[in-house]
Amino acid sequence: MALSESDLITRFFRNCGAQRRDVVLGVGDDAALTECPPGMQLAATTDTLVAGVHFPHPTPPAAIGHRALAVNLSDLAAMGARPAWALLALTLPEAGESWLTEFAAGFGALARAHEVALIGGDTTQGPLTVSVQLLGHVPRGRALTRAGGRAGQLVYVSGTPGDAAAGLALEQGRLGAPPQAAPYLRERFLMPTPRVALGERLRDYACACIDVSDGLLGDAGKLAAASGVGLEMYYAALPVSRALVEAVGANAARELALTGGDDYELLFTVEPARAAELERALPQEQWNYRQIGVLRAAAGVVLTRDGTVMDFSHSGYQHFS
Amino acid sequence: MALSESDLITRFFRNCGAQRRDVVLGVGDDAALTECPPGMQLAATTDTLVAGVHFPHPTPPAAIGHRALAVNLSDLAAMGARPAWALLALTLPEAGESWLTEFAAGFGALARAHEVALIGGDTTQGPLTVSVQLLGHVPRGRALTRAGGRAGQLVYVSGTPGDAAAGLALEQGRLGAPPQAAPYLRERFLMPTPRVALGERLRDYACACIDVSDGLLGDAGKLAAASGVGLEMYYAALPVSRALVEAVGANAARELALTGGDDYELLFTVEPARAAELERALPQEQWNYRQIGVLRAAAGVVLTRDGTVMDFSHSGYQHFS
């Protein structure tokens, strides 16, 4: 099937996301036009997925579409922003109709779930690469950043990091897992759940926040460095899923939780005096987060077990190494 | 040289573009934060360049950086919007310091010339692909679109289309050219000049506008179709550069002008009653544009010479064919 670029965009992406009243002009002209709400700042992020680098080849097209949007939603969640508009730059080797249909279904379902309109895009021929740019809103002066941490604040993380890394290893055939654990772990890699609602609620309680995408330990270190403090993480407090422990054992589960990457969870800090209020407003069992450490005055990240500093040399996934 | 992603972004891109007071938080956190000016709509576009598809391999890195931003500036120019903020998604095979320095220099010089701040980005490893997302502003309800054309309006184009296509052929060794013509044509491909100032001024005079990137004839057809009209283009009025005629001859020059692609000029329409005013306010010799046709009621694009319809089967560059 041969399709021109404008046909592609029209057929597969014009009505792919949510319909929003603040979109004045969507897909199809030289640029999109939108209305910014008063009192809000614009939050903007971009993340790219490359086949063979960020996901194995082949991966179901719907999962690629979901994931390309999810990783950007996670960035806005970490700012406490509400997502609104996306642009999609899709480079693909050939314009296969079934591939595009499935990709658009995966992207579109997640977009609609978060009321995100797809307002523009560009399709080009080349090695499979998906860049999404996501725009959202946050009340003026209320955004969460990595720099708001101070010594003494409690450190929390959402979800169960490490699952996605095990899911990727399963996808790549590098790992086996019992039948009751494998589908869950695979799903955690293929269809990550960005914590958008949690990020928005955290504006009222958190002082600093970062999205955990390159490994918990490394990303925690970025937040600490941006805040000019250090961080102590409690090994015994690391939340690991039962499926992950069943798949790799308790020790490897914690190592994957610390360094695995692709989690798309939120790591955030809260003043101790606000902790009870946070946990009342956002019950932990419902919102699925847990205290895993504390910010310290001395720079650097240390992992402690029974009060003793552990030696841990990994520091998160690096794209170039 | 091994560089982590955050190092890359910080070292090469943090101060690459213009500094703007409406950027609350730039490169370095999970997302950027900006302030939208009151009374304005947001204009958003994205365009991707793939090595070997949109530019030959190798192309000077500064030209790739310039070009990646220029093609997006051209999209905003076609809307009559003023550019403000860019995000850069850069996929590259390896993090070579000199390559990144030159790329950032080319991108940054054009960004600063148009007061565009680079507010965010993502670098990933993979086949060389550059996606830029560009955001800008246009007074509410004043944007130019492809759909504003009506029968009887005069059709203008800026610059001399076809030069860039010849420049690409020179770069690829598919064409020879006399020494007085070759450098100019190469430059027109490598360092296109987006017509941002013209686009902004045209808000006061034009009814419809499109950026000429895929070939004049094909893009003219898109504007006509979006406006629900047809278009007559005058073969004899096509503006071609002396260098292009010297390189390929008068007939091939006009064929390249019609179908070449990569021009990044503006095609726009004006009510006949406003034409004199347009030409007084924006003198043609200074602003470098020319009438090349007229919108007609009957659908389709026809090319005429001495009042006779010419047969012309090309219809612009298609990324998938």
Side-chain angles (χ1 to χ4, degrees):
Chain A
M1 180 186 63
L3 271 183
S4 74
E5 180 183 329
S6 47
D7 285 343
L8 274 181
I9 292 173
T10 305
R11 279 193 51 195
F12 294 101
F13 298 117
R14 194 186 281 273
N15 297 307
C16 171
Q19 305 300 311
R20 291 178 63 99
R21 298 182 64 165
D22 56 12
V23 177
V24 180
L25 186 65
V27 166
D29 214 298
D30 286 294
L33 296 171
T34 61
E35 292 279 357
C36 295
M40 305 293 261
Q41 290 171 332
L42 189 73
T45 189
T46 183
D47 257 318
T48 300
L49 303 183
V50 181
V53 177
H54 300 93
F55 54 87
H57 213 18
T59 286
I64 300 172
H66 173 102
R67 188 179 184 74
L69 182 57
V71 302
N72 284 281
L73 287 167
S74 184
D75 281 329
L76 287 202
M79 307 299 286
R82 174 171 295 188
W85 312 309
L87 293 104
L88 169 67
L90 178 61
T91 302
L92 67 170
E94 56 187 289
E97 187 160 3
S98 69
W99 194 96
L100 280 162
T101 303
E102 289 175 45
F103 176 91
F107 187 100
L110 188 63
R112 290 189 299 274
H114 290 281
E115 292 177 64
V116 169
L118 180 61
I119 60 170
D122 181 36
T123 54
T124 51
Q125 190 166 16
L128 183 56
T129 307
V130 191
S131 276
V132 171
Q133 299 87 26
L134 188 65
L135 303 168
H137 309 297
V138 61
R140 179 165 296 124
R142 299 288 314 284
L144 299 171
T145 72
R146 299 177 181 184
R150 299 294 174 263
Q153 289 172 1
L154 311 185
V155 176
Y156 295 80
V157 73
S158 66
T160 50
D163 292 345
L168 172 59
L170 283 164
E171 283 292 301
Q172 294 175 323
R174 293 186 286 113
L175 179 69
Q180 74 277 17
Y184 165 83
L185 295 171
R186 282 206 156 95
E187 183 82 2
R188 294 273 290 152
F189 171 74
L190 289 173
M191 305 287 273
T193 306
R195 305 299 179 187
V196 176
L198 178 62
E200 277 207 81
R201 297 295 301 271
L202 286 176
R203 284 204 311 266
D204 292 335
Y205 305 100
C207 300
C209 189
I210 188 171
D211 125 82
V212 179
S213 55
D214 294 340
L216 180 60
L217 209 53
D219 289 329
K222 287 178 204 164
L223 181 145
S227 296
V229 297
L231 188 148
E232 176 182 351
M233 198 179 288
Y234 311 136
Y235 184 81
L238 290 172
V240 287
S241 71
R242 174 186 291 200
L244 186 61
V245 173
E246 286 172 353
V248 301
N251 285 336
R254 285 187 172 75
E255 181 171 335
L256 280 177
L258 287 165
T259 65
D262 292 320
D263 296 308
Y264 304 107
E265 298 293 350
L266 298 181
L267 181 124
F268 55 96
T269 72
V270 176
E271 288 289 350
R274 303 291 310 281
E277 201 183 339
L278 164 74
E279 293 169 23
R280 259 197 315 276
L282 305 176
Q284 290 188 290
E285 62 279 17
Q286 179 188 338
W287 289 86
N288 192 19
Y289 65 93
R290 182 167 178 176
Q291 195 204 335
I292 57 163
V294 63
L295 295 184
R296 300 291 190 198
V301 178
V302 293
L303 194 66
T304 57
R305 187 176 196 174
D306 303 328
T308 307
V309 174
M310 297 172 71
D311 180 31
F312 205 92
S313 53
H314 293 81
S315 65
Y317 179 66
Q318 297 288 322
H319 294 299
F320 295 100
S321 58
Chain B
M1 180 184 63
L3 272 181
S4 75
E5 179 184 332
S6 49
D7 285 344
L8 274 180
I9 292 174
T10 305
R11 278 192 52 194
F12 294 100
F13 298 116
R14 194 185 282 271
N15 296 306
C16 172
Q19 305 299 312
R20 292 178 62 101
R21 298 182 65 165
D22 56 13
V23 178
V24 180
L25 186 65
V27 166
D29 214 298
D30 286 294
L33 295 172
T34 62
E35 290 280 358
C36 294
M40 306 292 261
Q41 290 170 332
L42 189 73
T45 189
T46 184
D47 257 319
T48 300
L49 303 183
V50 181
V53 177
H54 299 93
F55 54 87
H57 214 20
T59 286
I64 300 172
H66 174 102
R67 186 178 187 74
L69 182 57
V71 302
N72 284 280
L73 287 166
S74 185
D75 281 329
L76 287 202
M79 306 298 287
R82 173 170 295 187
W85 312 309
L87 294 104
L88 169 66
L90 179 60
T91 302
L92 67 171
E94 55 186 288
E97 187 159 5
S98 69
W99 194 98
L100 280 162
T101 303
E102 289 175 46
F103 176 91
F107 186 99
L110 188 62
R112 291 188 298 273
H114 289 282
E115 295 178 61
V116 169
L118 180 60
I119 59 170
D122 181 37
T123 55
T124 49
Q125 190 165 16
L128 183 55
T129 307
V130 191
S131 276
V132 171
Q133 177 198 23
L134 188 64
L135 303 169
H137 310 297
V138 62
R140 180 165 295 125
R142 299 288 315 282
L144 300 171
T145 72
R146 301 178 180 183
R150 298 293 174 264
Q153 291 173 1
L154 311 185
V155 177
Y156 295 81
V157 74
S158 67
T160 50
D163 292 346
L168 172 59
L170 283 164
E171 284 290 303
Q172 294 175 322
R174 292 186 286 114
L175 179 69
Q180 73 276 15
Y184 165 82
L185 295 171
R186 282 208 156 94
E187 183 82 3
R188 293 274 288 149
F189 172 73
L190 288 174
M191 304 286 272
T193 306
R195 306 299 180 188
V196 176
L198 178 61
E200 277 208 81
R201 296 296 299 272
L202 286 176
R203 284 204 310 267
D204 291 335
Y205 305 100
C207 300
C209 191
I210 188 171
D211 126 83
V212 179
S213 55
D214 294 341
L216 180 58
L217 209 52
D219 288 330
K222 287 178 205 162
L223 180 144
S227 295
V229 296
L231 187 148
E232 176 182 351
M233 199 178 288
Y234 311 136
Y235 183 81
L238 290 171
V240 287
S241 71
R242 173 184 292 199
L244 185 61
V245 173
E246 286 172 353
V248 301
N251 285 336
R254 284 186 173 74
E255 181 171 336
L256 280 176
L258 287 165
T259 63
D262 292 322
D263 297 307
Y264 304 106
E265 299 294 350
L266 298 181
L267 181 123
F268 56 96
T269 71
V270 176
E271 288 289 350
R274 303 290 311 281
E277 201 184 338
L278 164 75
E279 293 170 23
R280 260 197 316 276
L282 304 176
Q284 290 188 291
E285 62 279 14
Q286 180 189 336
W287 288 86
N288 192 22
Y289 66 94
R290 183 169 177 176
Q291 195 204 335
I292 57 164
V294 63
L295 295 184
R296 299 291 190 199
V301 179
V302 293
L303 194 66
T304 58
R305 188 176 195 176
D306 303 328
T308 307
V309 174
M310 299 173 70
D311 179 31
F312 206 93
S313 53
H314 293 80
S315 65
Y317 178 65
Q318 297 288 324
H319 294 297
F320 295 100
S321 58

